[in-house]
Amino acid sequence: MKCVAVAVALVAGFVCSDAVKLRASVRQEPDTACGKGFDNLVKGSQDYYRTAAVELFTHPSHTMDNATFEAEFECWFASMCTTKCGGLASQADARKATLTEMCQSVEADWLKIWKLFSPDEVKWFKNSYPSDEVEGSEEGSEVHYKQAMETAKEVSKKELLCMTLFTIDDECVKWPYIRLTK
């Protein structure tokens, strides 16, 4: 009887050790959609984001969106910082005054901000923003990779586009605060 118990224990031990080995050998690629992550950015970059989140979410209907979608906006910001904004050049001299006025206006909508993007910026944004549609989604009920990112983009599109352009124009966060023209 003791031999049977020992044999069962040995077999169970071998099965468990094989399962542990299998799990250890199957590695999932890390999700880099958020770059190296907001918490891993230097303090100056995090400070920049905090000032941008206050200054750009001024529309009465969107003042709390920066808190509601904080994780999603931090993710996008971290991605931009990690990739150095795709190497895009600042266009602050040409558009900073207009961008500041439009982004803080309750009159301007997201489309006016979108028209300030250069063709290279449009291409980079479309390729870099992490919310691609999942293949096989039915028309009218599209599902996106990182659905929360897509929702944040659709709900606060103007603010997201403003944050994107300010980040690029501030040389992908060369200062610890957003630089607005006043």
Side-chain angles (χ1 to χ4, degrees):
M1 190 64 157
K2 289 181 182 178
C3 291
V4 172
V6 169
V8 169
L10 284 172
V11 169
F14 286 127
V15 170
C16 288
S17 69
D18 285 344
V20 169
K21 286 179 191 174
L22 179 62
R23 266 184 269 134
S25 67
V26 177
R27 299 268 184 221
Q28 186 175 14
E29 290 294 319
D31 183 1
T32 58
C34 299
K36 58 184 177 181
F38 186 81
D39 292 337
N40 292 320
L41 296 176
V42 297
K43 184 178 179 337
S45 294
Q46 291 178 5
D47 291 346
Y48 180 98
Y49 171 80
R50 298 282 174 238
T51 63
V54 170
E55 294 290 342
L56 299 177
F57 288 81
T58 57
H59 191 282
S61 298
H62 295 278
T63 55
M64 293 305 296
D65 288 359
N66 60 354
T68 303
F69 297 110
E70 181 178 42
E72 290 73 26
F73 291 127
E74 285 180 351
C75 173
W76 174 234
F77 183 77
S79 176
M80 287 191 292
C81 290
T82 302
T83 63
K84 307 239 185 292
C85 298
L88 295 166
S90 171
Q91 295 185 36
D93 293 340
R95 68 178 170 208
K96 184 70 83 159
T98 303
L99 185 62
T100 299
E101 183 181 335
M102 283 192 203
C103 288
Q104 294 191 318
S105 167
V106 294
E107 305 284 322
D109 64 2
W110 71 267
L111 194 53
K112 290 179 181 172
I113 308 303
W114 186 244
K115 290 179 181 177
L116 294 176
F117 276 66
S118 72
D120 286 341
E121 290 166 339
V122 168
K123 181 179 177 185
W124 174 76
F125 181 82
K126 287 182 174 183
N127 289 331
S128 300
Y129 190 79
S131 71
D132 296 330
E133 189 175 327
V134 174
E135 287 186 35
S137 297
E138 293 181 26
E139 190 170 328
S141 62
E142 291 81 12
V143 176
H144 291 81
Y145 164 72
K146 295 228 180 259
Q147 185 66 45
M149 296 290 289
E150 181 67 15
T151 302
K153 181 179 81 175
E154 292 305 314
V155 171
S156 298
K157 192 176 286 188
K158 175 185 172 185
E159 290 77 9
L160 177 72
L161 297 176
C162 286
M163 182 171 59
T164 301
L165 287 184
F166 271 105
T167 302
I168 293 168
D169 286 351
D170 286 340
E171 299 179 46
C172 213
V173 191
K174 195 173 182 179
W175 293 269
Y177 54 88
I178 189 170
R179 296 183 322 142
L180 305 168
T181 57
K182 299 272 180 175

